[in-house]
Amino acid sequence: MGATAAMMRLRTPRWKDPRLIVGIVLVVASVLMGAVLVSRLSETTSVLVARSAIVPGDAISVEDLETVELRLGEQTDHYVGTPEAIPDGAVALRTIRAGELVPMSAIGQSAEVPLRPVVIPVDAAVAESVVPGATVELWHTAPAAEEGADAQAGLLVPDAVVRRIDEGSSLGMQEMSVEVLVPSDSVDEVLEVLSQDERLDVIGIPGAHGVVP
């Protein structure tokens, strides 16, 4: 009797055993899911890359972009894949660096850009230390309050963005200016300094994007 019970316990399970069928289904399902996941991760997707820096407020032009094939996996929906996906009238909401994938979050309409352009005359040495797309500081140096006192310098805008650099000449003397984008709530301060013909310096931030070492 005992031997018979032991043989029944060791008997090979039948194919119609529900537990065996469920086990096979689970194994097959896990293999298929793994294959699908590997396939998706290995697939390449078309995505747009900026050829050069695109600053806030600038139109997103096809000429400024190129298409590359990359493996983005589940991040595909976060980036612009084709020029056709760019809405009409779209502009950059933040600086898109040269060589950077164009994120959907960086594209919008001009009304959404919280920055305003201001042109600042600068020395050539200062202008050469930054490039379009660079984040810079604007420092204001006020004249001395009384004769013999030192002039006082203070940080006016900590996070302006260089839009473009204009090189000009007058009577053989080179003059330069930098067009910067400043937060809307700082425009009045910057314009007041410029109207008083006081010194306003554009200072590159070491380590920030676009600053030439």
Side-chain angles (χ1 to χ4, degrees), residues 48-52 54 60-67 80 82-83 86 96 100-102 107:
L48 297 181
V49 175
R51 294 179 182 271
S52 57
I54 305 174
I60 306 295
S61 173
V62 176
E63 289 72 21
D64 298 328
L65 308 170
E66 62 179 331
T67 303
V80 183
T82 64
I86 301 175
I96 304 174
E100 180 184 355
L101 303 184
V102 180
I107 295 179

Side-chain angles (χ1 to χ4, degrees), residues 25 127 185 201:
V25 170
D185 55 4
D201 292 313

Side-chain angles (χ1 to χ4, degrees), residues 86-105:
I86 301 175
D88 292 337
V91 301
L93 299 181
R94 66 162 178 80
T95 300
I96 304 174
R97 301 185 300 272
E100 180 184 355
L101 303 184
V102 180
M104 296 293 297
S105 60

Side-chain angles (χ1 to χ4, degrees), residues 120-123 126-127 129-130 136-142 152-157 160 178 180 190 193-194 198-204:
I120 302 174
V122 296
D123 295 331
V126 174
S129 68
V130 296
V136 295
E137 297 175 341
L138 303 185
W139 284 77
H140 169 220
T141 302
Q152 298 295 315
L155 179 61
L156 188 63
V157 179
V178 175
V180 296
V190 174
V193 170
L194 293 175
E198 296 180 358
R199 181 171 178 176
L200 189 59
D201 292 313
V202 179
I203 307 297

Side-chain angles (χ1 to χ4, degrees), residues 26 56 89 142:
L26 291 176

Side-chain angles (χ1 to χ4, degrees), residues 205-209 211:
I205 303 174
H209 160 64
V211 178

Side-chain angles (χ1 to χ4, degrees), residues 51-194:
R51 294 179 182 271
S52 57
I54 305 174
V55 300
D58 277 3
I60 306 295
S61 173
V62 176
E63 289 72 21
D64 298 328
L65 308 170
E66 62 179 331
T67 303
V68 298
E69 293 287 331
L70 294 176
R71 296 177 181 176
L72 296 179
E74 297 180 354
Q75 303 297 315
T76 301
D77 294 339
H78 295 175
Y79 299 97
V80 183
T82 64
E84 291 74 22
I86 301 175
D88 292 337
V91 301
L93 299 181
R94 66 162 178 80
T95 300
I96 304 174
R97 301 185 300 272
E100 180 184 355
L101 303 184
V102 180
M104 296 293 297
S105 60
I107 295 179
Q109 298 298 315
S110 57
E112 302 174 65
V113 181
L115 306 173
R116 297 294 179 266
V118 178
V119 177
I120 302 174
V122 296
D123 295 331
V126 174
E128 291 171 358
S129 68
V130 296
V131 295
T135 300
V136 295
E137 297 175 341
L138 303 185
W139 284 77
H140 169 220
T141 302
E146 56 185 46
E147 187 176 352
D150 295 331
Q152 298 295 315
L155 179 61
L156 188 63
V157 179
D159 52 359
V161 177
V162 177
R163 187 176 189 182
R164 61 177 55 89
I165 299 173
D166 181 34
E167 299 183 10
S169 61
S170 177
L171 300 178
M173 299 294 292
Q174 188 178 41
E175 294 181 348
M176 301 184 71
S177 62
V178 175
E179 183 178 355
V180 296
L181 298 167
V182 301
S184 301
D185 55 4
S186 298
V187 172
D188 56 344
E189 297 178 88
V190 174
L191 293 180
E192 183 178 353
V193 170
L194 293 175

